[in-house]
Amino acid sequence: VQLQASGGGLVQAGGSLRLSCTAARKIFSVFSAYDMGWYRQAPGKERELVATITSRGNTDYGDPVKGRFTISRDNSKKSVYLQMNSLKAEDTAVYYCKATTSNRSIFWGQGTQVTVSS
């Protein structure tokens, strides 16, 4: 697995979860140069942007999660994180991390399920 996502689970509405995505060291030798992102896909819906963070640390968020989710990265650990607060039932989805390399190659993680009970 090139990108390992973890941290998903079942949480009540209003609760919090922190997702992690760690890149395989041998493949992502220059992780710090990559743009990273989190996307999600709910049943019957298209995959949508949750949050992105560039190699320079600039962040962007999808409208549904602004003010509730925070994306961050630790290049020394080749990891990107998604802190999710004030979770809602509509946040239920499989969450995927994505890496975009400096030559615009794209890698996806395997996904982690987040279920928010109302």
Side-chain angles (χ1 to χ4, degrees), residues 7-117:
L10 174 64
V11 64
Q12 290 187 336
S16 298
L17 281 175
R18 185 184 190 227
L19 305 184
S20 300
C21 176
T22 300
R25 292 183 179 273
K26 290 184 178 180
I27 294 176
F28 295 93
S29 59
V30 287
F31 178 85
S32 61
Y34 301 158
D35 296 337
M36 301 297 297
W38 287 97
Y39 292 73
R40 68 186 183 186
Q41 188 166 18
K45 296 186 177 181
E46 294 186 353
R47 192 171 295 189
E48 66 174 356
L49 166 72
V50 176
T52 59
I53 185 167
T54 69
S55 59
R56 296 186 176 187
N58 297 319
T59 60
D60 190 27
Y61 296 90
D63 287 341
V65 308
K66 284 180 179 178
R68 300 187 296 123
F69 292 10
T70 302
I71 189 170
S72 61
R73 65 190 297 161
D74 184 339
N75 291 331
S76 68
K77 296 182 179 179
K78 298 188 188 295
S79 295
V80 62
Y81 308 98
L82 185 69
Q83 178 66 43
M84 305 186 294
N85 298 328
S86 303
L87 283 161
K88 305 175 181 180
E90 51 263 45
D91 294 319
T92 295
V94 178
Y95 284 70
Y96 299 89
C97 61
K98 173 186 174 183
T100 304
T101 69
S102 53
N103 64 359
R104 314 315 294 173
S105 294
I106 294 173
F107 296 87
W108 289 95
Q110 86 284 9
T112 184
Q113 176 70 48
V114 171
T115 303
V116 184
S117 62

